[in-house]
Protein backbone atom coordinates (compact mmCIF):
# COMPACT_ATOMS: atom_id res chain seq x y z
CA UNK A 1 0.00 0.00 0.00
CA UNK A 2 3.01 2.31 0.38
CA UNK A 3 3.03 2.94 -3.38
CA UNK A 4 -0.56 4.18 -3.45
CA UNK A 5 -1.20 7.88 -3.71
CA UNK A 6 -4.25 9.70 -2.37
CA UNK A 7 -5.47 13.02 -3.79
CA UNK A 8 -7.99 14.80 -1.56
CA UNK A 9 -10.39 17.31 -3.12
CA UNK A 10 -12.32 19.74 -0.93
CA UNK A 11 -15.77 21.06 -1.65
CA UNK A 12 -17.61 24.37 -1.62
CA UNK A 13 -17.12 26.80 1.25
CA UNK A 14 -13.95 24.96 2.19
CA UNK A 15 -10.28 24.59 1.38
CA UNK A 16 -7.66 21.88 1.70
CA UNK A 17 -7.33 22.47 5.45
CA UNK A 18 -10.68 20.75 5.96
CA UNK A 19 -8.75 17.48 5.51
CA UNK A 20 -6.41 18.25 8.44
CA UNK A 21 -7.86 15.48 10.65
CA UNK A 22 -7.70 12.88 7.88
CA UNK A 23 -4.24 13.56 6.42
CA UNK A 24 -2.19 12.42 9.47
CA UNK A 25 -4.26 9.24 9.74
CA UNK A 26 -3.69 8.43 6.07
CA UNK A 27 0.03 9.10 6.58
CA UNK A 28 0.00 6.49 9.35
CA UNK A 29 -1.44 4.01 6.82
CA UNK A 30 1.64 4.50 4.62
CA UNK A 31 -0.28 6.39 1.94
CA UNK A 32 1.21 9.34 0.05
CA UNK A 33 -1.30 12.16 0.46
CA UNK A 34 -1.78 15.48 -1.30
CA UNK A 35 -4.71 17.90 -0.97
CA UNK A 36 -5.88 20.05 -3.85
CA UNK A 37 -6.65 23.75 -3.48
CA UNK A 38 -9.52 24.57 -5.82
CA UNK A 39 -10.37 28.05 -7.10
CA UNK A 40 -14.10 27.17 -6.96
CA UNK A 41 -14.59 29.39 -10.00
CA UNK A 42 -16.02 26.85 -12.49
CA UNK A 43 -16.15 23.08 -12.77
CA UNK A 44 -13.64 23.14 -15.64
CA UNK A 45 -11.21 25.27 -13.62
CA UNK A 46 -11.39 22.93 -10.64
CA UNK A 47 -11.05 19.84 -12.81
CA UNK A 48 -7.91 21.35 -14.35
CA UNK A 49 -6.32 21.75 -10.90
CA UNK A 50 -6.97 18.12 -10.01
CA UNK A 51 -5.80 16.80 -13.37
CA UNK A 52 -2.57 18.75 -12.94
CA UNK A 53 -1.97 17.02 -9.60
CA UNK A 54 -2.74 13.64 -11.17
CA UNK A 55 -0.31 14.32 -14.03
CA UNK A 56 2.54 14.95 -11.60
CA UNK A 57 2.72 11.30 -10.53
CA UNK A 58 1.74 8.18 -12.48
CA UNK A 59 1.38 5.86 -9.47
CA UNK A 60 -2.01 4.26 -8.78
CA UNK A 61 -4.12 6.93 -7.12
CA UNK A 62 -7.23 7.05 -4.97
CA UNK A 63 -9.17 10.21 -5.77
CA UNK A 64 -11.32 11.50 -2.91
CA UNK A 65 -13.94 14.24 -3.09
CA UNK A 66 -16.01 15.93 -0.40
CA UNK A 67 -19.26 17.71 -1.25
CA UNK A 68 -18.83 19.64 -4.55
CA UNK A 69 -15.43 17.94 -4.79
CA UNK A 70 -17.34 14.80 -5.75
CA UNK A 71 -18.46 16.44 -8.98
CA UNK A 72 -14.86 17.50 -9.59
CA UNK A 73 -13.41 13.99 -9.17
CA UNK A 74 -16.23 12.54 -11.30
CA UNK A 75 -15.01 14.62 -14.23
CA UNK A 76 -11.28 14.82 -13.40
CA UNK A 77 -10.24 11.17 -12.99
CA UNK A 78 -7.51 10.00 -15.36
CA UNK A 79 -6.06 6.60 -16.27
CA UNK A 80 -3.95 6.26 -13.10
CA UNK A 81 -6.96 6.60 -10.79
CA UNK A 82 -7.77 3.17 -9.34
CA UNK A 83 -10.64 4.17 -7.02
CA UNK A 84 -13.02 7.03 -6.31
CA UNK A 85 -14.12 7.90 -2.79
CA UNK A 86 -17.09 10.22 -2.22
CA UNK A 87 -17.45 11.84 1.21
CA UNK A 88 -20.98 13.24 1.57
CA UNK A 89 -20.47 14.28 -2.02
CA UNK A 90 -22.12 14.89 -5.36
CA UNK A 91 -21.66 12.17 -7.98
CA UNK A 92 -23.36 13.53 -11.12
CA UNK A 93 -24.22 11.46 -14.17
CA UNK A 94 -23.56 12.70 -17.71
CA UNK A 95 -25.38 15.98 -18.31
CA UNK A 96 -26.21 16.49 -14.64
CA UNK A 97 -25.28 19.49 -12.52
CA UNK A 98 -25.43 20.14 -8.82
CA UNK A 99 -28.53 22.22 -9.44
CA UNK A 100 -30.34 19.43 -11.26
CA UNK A 101 -29.54 17.02 -8.42
CA UNK A 102 -30.87 19.49 -5.84
CA UNK A 103 -34.05 19.90 -7.90
CA UNK A 104 -34.98 16.23 -7.38
CA UNK A 105 -36.06 16.82 -3.75
CA UNK A 106 -36.88 19.60 -1.31
CA UNK A 107 -34.11 22.08 -0.59
CA UNK A 108 -31.94 21.09 2.39
CA UNK A 109 -32.11 23.20 5.58
CA UNK A 110 -28.64 24.61 5.02
CA UNK A 111 -29.72 26.35 1.83
CA UNK A 112 -31.17 29.11 4.01
CA UNK A 113 -27.65 30.03 5.17
CA UNK A 114 -26.24 30.74 1.69
CA UNK A 115 -25.59 34.41 0.95
CA UNK A 116 -24.96 35.58 -2.66
CA UNK A 117 -22.77 38.50 -3.65
CA UNK A 118 -23.45 40.75 -6.64
CA UNK A 119 -20.35 39.28 -8.33
CA UNK A 120 -21.89 35.79 -8.43
CA UNK A 121 -19.99 34.34 -5.48
CA UNK A 122 -21.85 32.42 -2.79
CA UNK A 123 -20.92 32.34 0.91
CA UNK A 124 -22.33 30.65 3.99
CA UNK A 125 -23.40 33.10 6.68
CA UNK A 126 -20.69 32.66 9.31
CA UNK A 127 -23.21 32.95 12.15
CA UNK A 128 -25.07 29.94 10.68
CA UNK A 129 -22.05 27.91 9.56
CA UNK A 130 -22.01 25.40 12.39
CA UNK A 131 -25.78 24.92 12.37
CA UNK A 132 -25.85 24.36 8.60
CA UNK A 133 -22.54 22.70 7.76
CA UNK A 134 -20.98 21.23 10.88
CA UNK A 135 -23.47 20.77 13.69
CA UNK A 136 -21.63 17.71 15.08
CA UNK A 137 -18.28 19.51 15.21
CA UNK A 138 -16.98 21.52 18.14
CA UNK A 139 -17.63 25.25 18.18
CA UNK A 140 -13.89 25.84 17.75
CA UNK A 141 -13.70 23.59 14.68
CA UNK A 142 -16.80 25.16 13.16
CA UNK A 143 -15.45 28.67 13.72
CA UNK A 144 -12.21 27.67 12.01
CA UNK A 145 -14.04 26.22 9.01
CA UNK A 146 -16.20 29.32 8.78
CA UNK A 147 -13.14 31.57 8.91
CA UNK A 148 -11.29 29.77 6.10
CA UNK A 149 -14.31 29.13 3.88
CA UNK A 150 -13.81 29.92 0.21
CA UNK A 151 -16.80 31.23 -1.73
CA UNK A 152 -17.99 29.23 -4.69
CA UNK A 153 -19.10 30.74 -7.99
CA UNK A 154 -22.79 30.28 -8.60
CA UNK A 155 -22.03 28.87 -12.06
CA UNK A 156 -20.53 25.77 -10.42
CA UNK A 157 -24.08 24.70 -9.58
CA UNK A 158 -25.03 24.78 -13.27
CA UNK A 159 -21.88 23.33 -14.87
CA UNK A 160 -22.51 19.77 -16.05
CA UNK A 161 -20.42 16.62 -16.03
CA UNK A 162 -19.64 15.11 -19.42
CA UNK A 163 -18.01 11.72 -18.73
CA UNK A 164 -18.68 10.30 -15.24
CA UNK A 165 -15.59 8.43 -14.04
CA UNK A 166 -17.63 6.27 -11.68
CA UNK A 167 -19.02 4.36 -14.67
CA UNK A 168 -15.59 2.78 -15.24
CA UNK A 169 -13.75 3.17 -11.89
CA UNK A 170 -14.80 1.46 -8.63
CA UNK A 171 -16.42 3.81 -6.15
CA UNK A 172 -16.77 4.08 -2.38
CA UNK A 173 -19.31 6.43 -0.75
CA UNK A 174 -19.88 7.79 2.75
CA UNK A 175 -23.41 9.01 3.39
CA UNK A 176 -23.98 11.62 6.11
CA UNK A 177 -27.42 10.81 7.47
CA UNK A 178 -27.67 14.14 9.34
CA UNK A 179 -26.45 16.27 6.43
CA UNK A 180 -28.09 19.70 6.15
CA UNK A 181 -26.31 20.74 2.92
CA UNK A 182 -26.79 17.74 0.58
CA UNK A 183 -30.01 15.82 1.30
CA UNK A 184 -29.20 12.32 2.65
CA UNK A 185 -31.76 10.80 0.27
CA UNK A 186 -29.83 12.28 -2.65
CA UNK A 187 -26.60 10.82 -1.27
CA UNK A 188 -28.14 7.36 -0.95
CA UNK A 189 -29.54 7.62 -4.48
CA UNK A 190 -26.19 8.59 -5.99
CA UNK A 191 -24.32 5.88 -4.09
CA UNK A 192 -26.81 3.24 -5.18
CA UNK A 193 -26.69 4.07 -8.88
CA UNK A 194 -22.88 3.90 -8.78
CA UNK A 195 -23.06 0.51 -7.05
CA UNK A 196 -20.60 2.06 -4.61
CA UNK A 197 -19.30 0.36 -1.50
CA UNK A 198 -21.26 2.47 0.97
CA UNK A 199 -21.12 3.37 4.65
CA UNK A 200 -23.58 5.61 6.48
CA UNK A 201 -22.63 7.77 9.45
CA UNK A 202 -24.84 9.82 11.80
CA UNK A 203 -22.80 12.82 10.73
CA UNK A 204 -23.13 16.37 9.46
CA UNK A 205 -21.92 17.56 6.08
CA UNK A 206 -18.48 18.02 7.68
CA UNK A 207 -17.95 14.31 8.32
CA UNK A 208 -14.30 14.60 7.29
CA UNK A 209 -13.83 16.74 10.43
CA UNK A 210 -16.24 15.06 12.83
CA UNK A 211 -15.55 11.42 11.79
CA UNK A 212 -11.95 11.31 10.54
CA UNK A 213 -11.29 7.74 11.69
CA UNK A 214 -14.21 6.35 9.71
CA UNK A 215 -13.36 8.46 6.64
CA UNK A 216 -9.73 7.32 6.81
CA UNK A 217 -10.82 3.70 7.05
CA UNK A 218 -13.01 4.08 3.94
CA UNK A 219 -10.17 5.64 1.94
CA UNK A 220 -7.72 2.98 3.11
CA UNK A 221 -10.16 0.24 2.10
CA UNK A 222 -10.34 1.75 -1.40
CA UNK A 223 -6.54 1.92 -1.52
CA UNK A 224 -6.23 -1.78 -0.63
CA UNK A 225 -8.85 -2.96 -3.11
Amino acid sequence: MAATRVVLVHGAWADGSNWSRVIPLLDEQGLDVVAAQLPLSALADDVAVVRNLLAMDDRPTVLVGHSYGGAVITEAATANVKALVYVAAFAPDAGESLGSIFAQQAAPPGAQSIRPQDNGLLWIDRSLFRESFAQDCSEADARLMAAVQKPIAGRCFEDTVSTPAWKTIPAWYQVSDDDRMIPPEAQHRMAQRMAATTISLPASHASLVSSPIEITRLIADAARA
Side-chain angles (χ1 to χ4, degrees), residues 8 14 33 44 68 136 212:
L8 303 171
V33 187
Y68 163 71
D136 59 347

Side-chain angles (χ1 to χ4, degrees), residues 96-179:
E96 279 190 336
S97 65
L98 277 60
S100 67
I101 292 171
F102 273 130
Q104 295 177 37
Q105 62 279 303
Q112 301 301 314
S113 68
I114 298 172
R115 303 288 181 261
Q117 280 186 284
D118 291 341
N119 60 7
L121 296 178
L122 306 175
W123 297 81
I124 292 180
D125 185 328
R126 289 177 64 178
S127 68
L128 299 174
F129 195 96
R130 186 183 185 207
E131 173 187 331
S132 301
F133 198 97
Q135 74 272 16
D136 59 347
C137 298
S138 70
E139 289 188 13
D141 283 339
R143 283 198 301 271
L144 177 61
M145 285 186 279
V148 303
Q149 71 167 301
K150 291 181 66 174
I152 186 169
R155 65 164 294 174
C156 293
F157 286 84
E158 304 306 324
D159 290 342
T160 58
V161 163
S162 59
T163 307
W166 51 261
K167 291 193 173 181
T168 56
I169 300 173
W172 281 253
Y173 197 109
Q174 178 264 312
V175 174
S176 283
D177 282 330
D178 296 327
D179 202 314

Side-chain angles (χ1 to χ4, degrees), residues 1 5 7 11 42 67 75 80 97 100 120 130 142 144 147 150-151 169 171 174 207 210:
M1 202 162 74
R5 189 168 181 249
V7 174
S67 186
E75 185 81 348
N80 59 324
S97 65
S100 67
R130 186 183 185 207
L144 177 61
K150 291 181 66 174
I169 300 173
Q174 178 264 312
S207 55
S210 65

Side-chain angles (χ1 to χ4, degrees), residues 41-52:
S41 51
L43 180 61
D45 297 341
D46 298 324
V47 166
V49 169
V50 174
R51 285 184 175 166
N52 183 64

